[in-house]
Amino acid sequence: MQRLVEIRSYQLKPGTAREFHAAVETTAVPMLREWGADVVAYGPSEHAPDTYYLIRAYVDLDDLNRRQDAFYGSEEWRNGPREEIVSRIESYLSTVLWMSPEAIADLRRRNQR
């Protein structure tokens, strides 16, 4: 069954990539997974030093909106790592597309953290 995949690309403020990655890896991704998010891959982009990506998979657009609204609206996020992470982001862009389970599995394998 196809799944809707969101690829979020972040342009980080200059010089903040290391701290951003540490916060994402130790706090945000574990928290997202606790909330039931299917985090496929994440990490620094290889093409530019201040760029980063987060890839998540969903059942459909309603699932994406429901899960993200619940997570980003939660007290746990807002009173937790939100400021540490958001303060390092200059801008971001999200793109969604449908992918096969095999393609998603390949993204996981090639971008393990």
Coordinates of all heavy atoms in Angstrom, one line a residue, residues 14-85:
P14 N 23.1 30.2 9.8 CA 24.5 29.8 9.7 C 25.2 29.4 11.0 O 25.0 30.1 12.0 CB 25.2 31.1 9.1 CG 24.0 31.8 8.4 CD 22.8 31.5 9.3
G15 N 25.9 28.3 10.9 CA 26.7 27.8 12.1 C 25.9 27.1 13.1 O 26.4 26.8 14.2
T16 N 24.6 26.8 12.9 CA 23.8 26.1 13.9 C 23.5 24.6 13.6 O 22.8 24.0 14.4 CB 22.4 26.9 14.1 OG1 21.7 26.7 12.9 CG2 22.6 28.3 14.4
A17 N 24.0 24.1 12.5 CA 23.7 22.8 12.1 C 24.1 21.7 13.2 O 23.3 20.8 13.4 CB 24.4 22.4 10.8
R18 N 25.2 21.8 13.8 CA 25.6 20.8 14.8 C 24.7 20.8 16.0 O 24.2 19.7 16.4 CB 27.0 21.1 15.2 CG 27.5 20.0 16.2 CD 29.0 20.2 16.6 NE 29.8 20.1 15.4 CZ 31.0 20.7 15.3 NH1 31.5 21.4 16.3 NH2 31.7 20.6 14.2
E19 N 24.3 21.9 16.5 CA 23.4 22.0 17.6 C 22.0 21.6 17.2 O 21.3 20.9 18.0 CB 23.4 23.4 18.2 CG 24.7 23.8 18.8 CD 25.7 24.5 17.8 OE1 25.3 24.6 16.6 OE2 26.8 24.8 18.2
F20 N 21.6 22.0 16.0 CA 20.3 21.6 15.5 C 20.2 20.1 15.5 O 19.2 19.4 15.9 CB 20.0 22.2 14.2 CG 18.7 21.9 13.6 CD1 17.6 22.7 14.0 CD2 18.4 20.9 12.7 CE1 16.3 22.5 13.5 CE2 17.2 20.6 12.2 CZ 16.1 21.4 12.6
H21 N 21.2 19.4 14.8 CA 21.2 18.0 14.7 C 21.2 17.3 16.1 O 20.4 16.3 16.3 CB 22.4 17.5 13.9 CG 22.5 16.0 13.8 ND1 21.5 15.3 13.1 CD2 23.4 15.1 14.2 CE1 21.8 14.0 13.2 NE2 22.9 13.9 13.8
A22 N 21.9 17.8 17.0 CA 22.0 17.2 18.3 C 20.6 17.2 19.0 O 20.1 16.3 19.6 CB 23.0 17.9 19.2
A23 N 19.9 18.4 18.9 CA 18.6 18.5 19.5 C 17.6 17.7 18.8 O 16.7 17.0 19.4 CB 18.1 20.0 19.4
V24 N 17.6 17.6 17.4 CA 16.7 16.7 16.7 C 16.9 15.3 17.1 O 16.0 14.5 17.4 CB 16.9 16.9 15.2 CG1 16.1 15.9 14.4 CG2 16.4 18.3 14.8
E25 N 18.2 14.8 17.1 CA 18.5 13.4 17.3 C 18.2 13.0 18.7 O 17.7 11.9 18.9 CB 19.9 13.2 16.9 CG 20.3 11.7 16.9 CD 21.6 11.4 16.2 OE1 22.6 12.0 16.6 OE2 21.6 10.6 15.3
T26 N 18.5 13.8 19.7 CA 18.4 13.4 21.1 C 17.0 13.7 21.7 O 16.6 13.0 22.7 CB 19.4 14.0 22.0 OG1 19.3 15.4 22.0 CG2 20.8 13.6 21.5
T27 N 16.3 14.6 21.1 CA 15.0 15.0 21.7 C 13.8 15.0 20.8 O 12.9 14.3 21.1 CB 15.1 16.5 22.2 OG1 16.3 16.6 23.1 CG2 13.9 16.9 23.1
A28 N 13.9 15.6 19.6 CA 12.7 15.7 18.8 C 12.3 14.4 18.1 O 11.2 14.0 18.1 CB 12.9 16.8 17.7
V29 N 13.3 13.7 17.6 CA 13.0 12.4 16.9 C 12.4 11.4 17.9 O 11.4 10.8 17.6 CB 14.1 11.9 16.0 CG1 13.9 10.4 15.6 CG2 14.3 12.8 14.8
P30 N 13.1 11.2 19.0 CA 12.5 10.3 20.0 C 11.1 10.7 20.4 O 10.2 9.9 20.6 CB 13.5 10.3 21.2 CG 14.8 10.7 20.6 CD 14.4 11.7 19.5
M31 N 10.9 12.0 20.6 CA 9.5 12.5 21.0 C 8.5 12.2 19.9 O 7.4 11.8 20.1 CB 9.6 14.0 21.3 CG 8.3 14.5 21.9 SD 8.4 16.3 22.2 CE 9.6 16.4 23.5
L32 N 8.9 12.5 18.6 CA 8.0 12.3 17.5 C 7.6 10.8 17.5 O 6.5 10.4 17.3 CB 8.7 12.6 16.2 CG 8.7 14.1 15.8 CD1 9.8 14.4 14.7 CD2 7.3 14.6 15.4
R33 N 8.6 9.9 17.6 CA 8.3 8.5 17.6 C 7.4 8.1 18.8 O 6.6 7.2 18.6 CB 9.6 7.7 17.6 CG 10.3 7.8 16.3 CD 11.6 7.1 16.2 NE 12.1 7.1 14.8 CZ 13.3 7.1 14.4 NH1 14.3 7.0 15.3 NH2 13.7 7.1 13.1
E34 N 7.6 8.7 19.9 CA 6.7 8.4 21.1 C 5.3 8.8 20.7 O 4.3 8.1 21.2 CB 7.1 9.2 22.3 CG 8.4 8.6 23.0 CD 8.8 9.4 24.1 OE1 8.1 10.3 24.6 OE2 10.0 9.2 24.6
W35 N 5.1 9.8 19.9 CA 3.8 10.3 19.5 C 3.2 9.5 18.3 O 2.2 9.8 17.8 CB 3.8 11.7 19.2 CG 3.7 12.6 20.4 CD1 4.7 12.9 21.3 CD2 2.6 13.4 20.8 NE1 4.2 13.7 22.3 CE2 2.9 14.0 22.0 CE3 1.3 13.5 20.3 CZ2 2.0 14.8 22.7 CZ3 0.4 14.3 20.9 CH2 0.8 15.0 22.1
G36 N 4.0 8.4 17.9 CA 3.5 7.6 16.8 C 3.9 8.0 15.4 O 3.4 7.4 14.5
A37 N 4.8 9.0 15.3 CA 5.2 9.4 14.0 C 6.2 8.4 13.4 O 7.0 7.8 14.1 CB 5.9 10.8 14.0
D38 N 6.0 8.1 12.1 CA 6.9 7.2 11.4 C 8.0 8.1 10.8 O 7.9 8.6 9.6 CB 6.1 6.5 10.3 CG 7.0 5.5 9.5 OD1 8.2 5.4 9.8 OD2 6.5 4.8 8.6
V39 N 9.1 8.3 11.5 CA 10.2 9.0 11.0 C 11.1 8.1 10.2 O 11.7 7.1 10.7 CB 11.1 9.6 12.2 CG1 12.3 10.3 11.7 CG2 10.2 10.5 13.1
V40 N 11.1 8.4 8.9 CA 11.8 7.5 7.9 C 13.3 7.8 7.9 O 14.1 6.9 7.9 CB 11.2 7.7 6.5 CG1 12.0 6.9 5.5 CG2 9.7 7.3 6.5
A41 N 13.7 9.1 7.9 CA 15.1 9.5 7.8 C 15.2 11.0 8.2 O 14.2 11.7 8.1 CB 15.6 9.3 6.4
Y42 N 16.4 11.4 8.7 CA 16.6 12.7 9.0 C 18.1 12.9 9.1 O 18.9 12.0 9.2 CB 16.0 13.1 10.4 CG 16.6 12.3 11.5 CD1 17.7 12.8 12.3 CD2 16.1 11.0 11.8 CE1 18.2 12.0 13.3 CE2 16.7 10.3 12.9 CZ 17.7 10.8 13.6 OH 18.3 10.1 14.6
G43 N 18.5 14.2 8.9 CA 20.0 14.5 9.1 C 20.4 15.7 8.3 O 19.6 16.3 7.5
P44 N 21.7 16.0 8.4 CA 22.3 17.1 7.6 C 22.3 16.7 6.1 O 22.6 15.6 5.8 CB 23.7 17.2 8.1 CG 23.7 16.4 9.4 CD 22.6 15.4 9.3
S45 N 21.9 17.6 5.3 CA 22.0 17.4 3.9 C 23.4 17.5 3.4 O 24.2 18.3 3.9 CB 21.1 18.4 3.1 OG 21.2 18.2 1.7
E46 N 23.8 16.6 2.5 CA 25.2 16.6 2.0 C 25.6 17.7 1.1 O 26.7 17.9 0.8 CB 25.5 15.2 1.4 CG 25.4 14.1 2.4 CD 25.8 12.8 1.8 OE1 26.5 12.7 0.8 OE2 25.4 11.7 2.3
H47 N 24.6 18.4 0.5 CA 24.9 19.4 -0.5 C 25.2 20.8 0.0 O 25.8 21.6 -0.7 CB 23.7 19.5 -1.5 CG 22.6 20.4 -1.0 ND1 21.7 20.0 0.0 CD2 22.2 21.6 -1.4 CE1 20.8 20.9 0.2 NE2 21.1 21.9 -0.6
A48 N 24.9 21.1 1.3 CA 25.1 22.5 1.8 C 25.2 22.3 3.4 O 24.5 21.6 4.0 CB 24.0 23.4 1.4
P49 N 26.1 23.1 4.0 CA 26.4 22.9 5.4 C 25.3 23.3 6.3 O 25.2 22.8 7.4 CB 27.6 23.7 5.7 CG 27.7 24.7 4.6 CD 27.0 24.1 3.4
D50 N 24.4 24.2 5.9 CA 23.3 24.7 6.8 C 22.0 24.2 6.3 O 21.0 24.9 6.5 CB 23.4 26.2 6.9 CG 24.7 26.7 7.6 OD1 25.0 26.1 8.6 OD2 25.3 27.7 7.1
T51 N 21.9 23.0 5.8 CA 20.6 22.5 5.4 C 20.4 21.1 6.1 O 21.4 20.5 6.5 CB 20.5 22.3 3.9 OG1 21.5 21.4 3.4 CG2 20.6 23.6 3.1
Y52 N 19.1 20.8 6.2 CA 18.8 19.6 7.0 C 17.5 19.0 6.5 O 16.7 19.8 5.9 CB 18.6 20.0 8.5 CG 18.7 18.9 9.5 CD1 19.9 18.6 10.0 CD2 17.6 18.2 9.9 CE1 20.0 17.6 11.0 CE2 17.7 17.2 10.8 CZ 18.9 16.9 11.4 OH 19.0 15.9 12.3
Y53 N 17.2 17.7 6.7 CA 16.0 17.2 6.2 C 15.4 16.3 7.2 O 16.0 15.7 8.1 CB 16.2 16.3 4.9 CG 17.1 15.1 5.1 CD1 16.5 13.9 5.4 CD2 18.5 15.2 5.0 CE1 17.3 12.8 5.6 CE2 19.3 14.1 5.1 CZ 18.7 12.9 5.5 OH 19.5 11.8 5.7
L54 N 14.1 16.2 7.2 CA 13.3 15.3 8.0 C 12.2 14.6 7.1 O 11.5 15.3 6.4 CB 12.6 16.1 9.1 CG 11.6 15.3 10.0 CD1 12.2 14.2 10.8 CD2 10.9 16.3 10.9
I55 N 12.2 13.3 7.0 CA 11.3 12.6 6.2 C 10.4 11.7 7.1 O 10.9 10.9 7.9 CB 12.0 11.7 5.2 CG1 13.0 12.6 4.3 CG2 11.0 10.9 4.3 CD1 13.9 11.7 3.4
R56 N 9.1 11.9 6.9 CA 8.1 11.1 7.7 C 7.1 10.5 6.7 O 6.8 11.1 5.7 CB 7.4 12.0 8.7 CG 8.3 12.6 9.8 CD 7.7 13.5 10.7 NE 7.6 14.9 10.1 CZ 7.2 16.0 10.7 NH1 6.9 15.9 12.0 NH2 7.1 17.1 10.1
A57 N 6.5 9.4 7.1 CA 5.5 8.7 6.3 C 4.1 8.7 7.0 O 4.1 8.6 8.3 CB 5.9 7.3 6.0
Y58 N 3.1 8.8 6.2 CA 1.7 8.9 6.8 C 0.8 8.0 5.9 O 1.1 7.6 4.8 CB 1.2 10.3 6.8 CG 2.0 11.2 7.6 CD1 3.1 11.9 7.1 CD2 1.8 11.4 9.0 CE1 3.8 12.8 7.9 CE2 2.5 12.2 9.8 CZ 3.6 12.9 9.2 OH 4.3 13.8 10.0
V59 N -0.4 7.7 6.5 CA -1.4 7.0 5.7 C -1.9 7.8 4.6 O -2.1 7.3 3.5 CB -2.5 6.5 6.7 CG1 -3.7 5.9 5.9 CG2 -2.0 5.6 7.7
D60 N -2.2 9.1 4.9 CA -2.8 10.0 3.9 C -2.7 11.4 4.4 O -2.1 11.6 5.5 CB -4.2 9.6 3.5 CG -5.2 9.6 4.8 OD1 -4.9 10.3 5.8 OD2 -6.2 8.9 4.7
L61 N -3.2 12.4 3.7 CA -3.1 13.8 4.1 C -3.8 14.1 5.4 O -3.3 14.9 6.3 CB -3.6 14.7 3.0 CG -3.3 16.2 3.2 CD1 -1.8 16.4 3.3 CD2 -3.8 17.0 2.0
D62 N -5.0 13.4 5.6 CA -5.7 13.6 6.9 C -4.8 13.1 8.1 O -4.8 13.8 9.1 CB -7.0 12.9 6.9 CG -8.0 13.6 6.0 OD1 -7.9 14.8 5.7 OD2 -9.0 12.9 5.5
D63 N -4.2 12.0 7.9 CA -3.3 11.4 8.9 C -2.2 12.4 9.2 O -1.8 12.7 10.4 CB -2.8 10.1 8.5 CG -1.9 9.4 9.5 OD1 -2.3 9.4 10.7 OD2 -0.9 8.8 9.2
L64 N -1.5 12.9 8.2 CA -0.5 13.9 8.4 C -0.9 15.1 9.2 O -0.3 15.5 10.2 CB 0.1 14.4 7.0 CG 1.2 15.4 7.0 CD1 2.0 15.3 5.7 CD2 0.7 16.8 7.1
N65 N -2.0 15.7 8.8 CA -2.6 16.9 9.4 C -2.9 16.6 10.9 O -2.6 17.4 11.8 CB -3.7 17.5 8.7 CG -3.3 18.1 7.4 OD1 -2.2 18.7 7.3 ND2 -4.2 18.0 6.4
R66 N -3.6 15.5 11.1 CA -4.0 15.2 12.5 C -2.8 14.9 13.4 O -2.8 15.5 14.5 CB -4.9 13.9 12.4 CG -5.5 13.5 13.7 CD -6.5 12.4 13.6 NE -6.2 11.4 12.6 CZ -5.3 10.4 12.7 NH1 -4.6 10.3 13.9 NH2 -5.1 9.5 11.8
R67 N -1.9 14.2 12.9 CA -0.7 13.9 13.8 C 0.2 15.1 14.0 O 0.6 15.3 15.1 CB 0.2 12.8 13.1 CG -0.5 11.4 13.2 CD 0.4 10.3 12.6 NE -0.2 9.1 12.6 CZ -0.2 8.2 13.6 NH1 0.3 8.6 14.8 NH2 -0.8 7.1 13.6
Q68 N 0.4 15.9 13.0 CA 1.2 17.1 13.2 C 0.5 18.1 14.0 O 1.1 18.8 14.9 CB 1.6 17.7 11.8 CG 2.7 16.8 11.2 CD 3.3 17.4 10.0 OE1 3.2 18.6 9.7 NE2 4.1 16.6 9.2
D69 N -0.8 18.3 13.8 CA -1.5 19.2 14.7 C -1.5 18.8 16.2 O -1.2 19.7 17.0 CB -3.0 19.3 14.3 CG -3.2 20.1 13.0 OD1 -2.2 20.7 12.5 OD2 -4.3 20.0 12.4
A70 N -1.6 17.5 16.4 CA -1.6 17.0 17.8 C -0.2 17.2 18.4 O 0.0 17.7 19.5 CB -2.0 15.6 17.8
F71 N 0.9 16.8 17.6 CA 2.2 16.9 18.1 C 2.7 18.4 18.4 O 3.1 18.7 19.4 CB 3.2 16.2 17.2 CG 4.6 16.3 17.7 CD1 5.1 15.5 18.7 CD2 5.5 17.3 17.1 CE1 6.4 15.6 19.2 CE2 6.8 17.4 17.5 CZ 7.3 16.6 18.6
Y72 N 2.6 19.2 17.3 CA 3.1 20.6 17.4 C 2.2 21.4 18.3 O 2.7 22.5 18.7 CB 3.2 21.2 16.0 CG 4.4 20.5 15.2 CD1 4.1 19.8 14.1 CD2 5.7 20.5 15.7 CE1 5.2 19.2 13.4 CE2 6.7 19.9 15.0 CZ 6.4 19.3 13.9 OH 7.5 18.6 13.2
G73 N 1.0 21.0 18.6 CA 0.1 21.7 19.5 C 0.2 21.3 20.9 O -0.4 21.9 21.8
S74 N 1.0 20.2 21.2 CA 1.1 19.6 22.5 C 1.9 20.5 23.5 O 2.9 21.2 23.1 CB 1.7 18.2 22.4 OG 3.1 18.3 22.2
E75 N 1.6 20.4 24.7 CA 2.4 21.1 25.8 C 3.8 20.5 25.8 O 4.8 21.2 26.0 CB 1.7 20.9 27.1 CG 0.4 21.6 27.3 CD 0.6 23.1 27.3 OE1 1.5 23.6 27.9 OE2 -0.3 23.8 26.7
E76 N 3.9 19.2 25.6 CA 5.2 18.5 25.6 C 6.2 19.2 24.6 O 7.3 19.4 24.9 CB 5.0 17.0 25.3 CG 6.3 16.2 25.4 CD 6.1 14.8 25.2 OE1 5.0 14.3 24.9 OE2 7.1 14.0 25.2
W77 N 5.7 19.4 23.4 CA 6.5 20.1 22.4 C 6.8 21.5 22.7 O 7.9 22.0 22.7 CB 5.9 19.9 21.0 CG 6.5 20.8 19.9 CD1 6.0 21.9 19.3 CD2 7.8 20.6 19.3 NE1 6.8 22.4 18.4 CE2 8.0 21.7 18.4 CE3 8.8 19.7 19.5 CZ2 9.1 21.8 17.7 CZ3 10.0 19.8 18.8 CH2 10.1 20.9 17.8
R78 N 5.7 22.3 23.0 CA 5.8 23.7 23.2 C 6.6 24.1 24.4 O 7.3 25.1 24.4 CB 4.4 24.3 23.2 CG 3.7 24.4 21.9 CD 2.4 25.1 21.9 NE 1.5 24.3 22.8 CZ 0.4 24.7 23.3 NH1 0.0 25.9 23.0 NH2 -0.3 23.9 24.1
N79 N 6.5 23.3 25.4 CA 7.3 23.6 26.7 C 8.6 22.8 26.7 O 9.3 22.9 27.7 CB 6.4 23.3 27.9 CG 5.2 24.2 28.0 OD1 5.3 25.3 27.6 ND2 4.1 23.7 28.5
G80 N 8.8 22.0 25.7 CA 10.0 21.2 25.7 C 11.0 21.7 24.7 O 11.5 22.9 24.8
P81 N 11.4 20.9 23.7 CA 12.5 21.3 22.8 C 12.1 22.3 21.7 O 13.0 22.7 20.9 CB 12.9 20.0 22.1 CG 11.6 19.2 22.1 CD 10.9 19.6 23.4
R82 N 10.9 22.8 21.6 CA 10.5 23.6 20.5 C 11.4 24.8 20.3 O 12.0 25.0 19.2 CB 9.1 24.2 20.7 CG 8.6 25.0 19.6 CD 7.2 25.7 19.9 NE 6.8 26.5 18.8 CZ 7.2 27.7 18.4 NH1 8.2 28.2 19.2 NH2 6.8 28.3 17.4
E83 N 11.7 25.6 21.3 CA 12.5 26.8 21.2 C 13.9 26.5 20.8 O 14.5 27.2 19.9 CB 12.5 27.7 22.4 CG 13.2 29.0 22.3 CD 12.7 29.9 21.2 OE1 11.5 29.8 20.9 OE2 13.5 30.6 20.6
E84 N 14.5 25.5 21.3 CA 15.9 25.1 21.0 C 16.0 24.7 19.5 O 17.0 25.0 18.9 CB 16.2 23.9 21.9 CG 17.6 23.4 21.6 CD 18.0 22.1 22.5 OE1 17.1 21.5 23.1 OE2 19.2 21.8 22.6
I85 N 14.9 24.1 19.0 CA 15.0 23.7 17.6 C 14.6 24.9 16.6 O 15.3 25.2 15.7 CB 14.1 22.5 17.4 CG1 14.8 21.3 18.1 CG2 13.8 22.2 15.9 CD1 14.0 20.1 18.2

